[in-house]
Amino acid sequence: MDLHEYQAKEIFRDHGMPVPPGTVVTDASEAAAAARDFGGMVVVKAQVHSGGRGKAGGVKLAKTPEEAEAYAEAILGMEINGLTVEKVLITPAEDIASEAYVGVLVDRVTQAPMFMVSSEGGIDIEEVAHSQPEAIRRLSVDPRYGLLPHQAFWLANSLYDDPAQIKQAAKIMGQLYRSFVDAGASMAEINPLIVTPSGEVKAIDAKVSIDDNELFRKPAIEAYRDSAAEPQAETDAREAGLTFIKLDGNVGCCVNGAGLAMATMDLVKFYGGEPANFLDIGGSSNPEKVVNALRIITADPAVKVILFNIFGGITRTDDVANGIVEATRQIDIEVPIVIRLTGTNEEKALEILEGAGFSAYTSMDAVVERAVELATQG
Ligand code: GDP
Ligand code: MN
């Protein structure tokens, strides 16, 4: 689950981090009032679950309350990477002498939190990571001990020369690490971490993603969920008890079991295709789950083919077959459906499918190859 900037900043502030204050508004007139309260210049910032807001025109510096209102008017309702802006954050504008990047995420290779910091912060950090990877200092943290003071200083030391700034930054690293752990985050990022002309180090942007598996034990974090700001498909999937992640390809995948779903996506890539989604319909899949899954997949206009890969263990393949047949009655599906299913009750499943004019594969390779072929043709 992604948090909004203002929510991430709340967590950072609770951990003592120097973060400028802010007011969230949903209406342009409230933006003017908030700007007046702060006095002086403010920044109007789109609150959407997307990076690159600055480049998309979702971050604007306003000199007067009237200007803040006009920017809020323009930004509210704006689309940034397919997400509509429903809220803006009004925050006092800071004078910036330098911008750095500080992030911590769960690293798969070391299976531990990994810090990444760079003095080349700001809106082009992805470009920096790509073109000058040596400009990023990395540190793996042993979660048993947390971020140790000398490690925090080692990181801060690569950002600044001034001892007072290094000291402030080291403290912020510790606060970021505590925020990351306490929130159950998979990623927590400050970009930019700024130094003001008077030498104060502050976090003026915040990005936090929560590991969904932490949410059940962190109700205060779950309460940050803003369904209106999440992709519709993900909200629908969560409500239907499906694990779904939208991707950029055109092969819609409907699979039982997370491992098989990953293997299926790998195979789609192997045969030259691109998956449109990750979808795990779960262990005991009743026909209704399949109908919901197909509704979600077909709502994506990019999908050119739907690929079922079902291995029947606890999942009864006849349930899945019934779900597919039922779904084609309820939903107007315009793209081809290819099915591989094997395991529990497969004879029954094949009978059901054949009765409805479908045929099914038993080989995973064959079905994926066919799906990719159909996706490229269509
Ligand atoms: P992002 O584009 O979504 O990462 O949004 P940011 O909050 O990081 O803002 C993008 C850029 O806008 C920053 O890197 C700064 O250069 C600039 N910016 C943001 N807030 C302020 C501010 O308070 N004062 C000034 N002068 N620039 C700001
Ligand atoms: Mn940023």
Side-chain angles (χ1 to χ4, degrees), residues 247-253 264-266 268-269 273-278:
L247 301 168
D248 295 331
N250 58 11
V251 179
C253 300
T264 306
M265 296 193 317
D266 281 349
V268 167
K269 287 235 176 203
E274 286 292 338
N277 64 280
F278 170 96

Side-chain angles (χ1 to χ4, degrees), residues 300-311:
D300 177 357
V303 169
K304 292 277 183 286
V305 60
I306 296 165
L307 163 64
F308 272 86
N309 188 8
I310 306 296
F311 183 82

Side-chain angles (χ1 to χ4, degrees), residues 2 6 17-18 62 73 99 106 144 197 226 271 290 332 343 345:
D2 290 331
Y6 77 90
M17 198 187 288
E73 185 81 51
E99 303 193 14
V106 176
R144 290 170 299 181
D226 179 4
Y271 283 111
V290 179
D332 193 15
N345 291 355

Side-chain angles (χ1 to χ4, degrees), residues 111-140:
Q111 302 184 356
M114 159 95 81
F115 263 87
M116 287 190 279
V117 307
S118 175
S119 56
E120 310 292 312
I123 57 178
D124 282 321
I125 188 67
E126 281 84 8
E127 173 55 27
V128 172
H130 192 73
S131 62
Q132 26 171 169
E134 69 286 350
I136 298 178
R137 180 170 281 193
R138 290 161 203 268
L139 175 91
S140 180

Side-chain angles (χ1 to χ4, degrees), residues 45 53 122-123 189-192 205-206:
K45 308 184 76 176
R53 296 167 305 166
I123 57 178
E189 189 180 271
I190 305 168
N191 187 30
D205 190 15

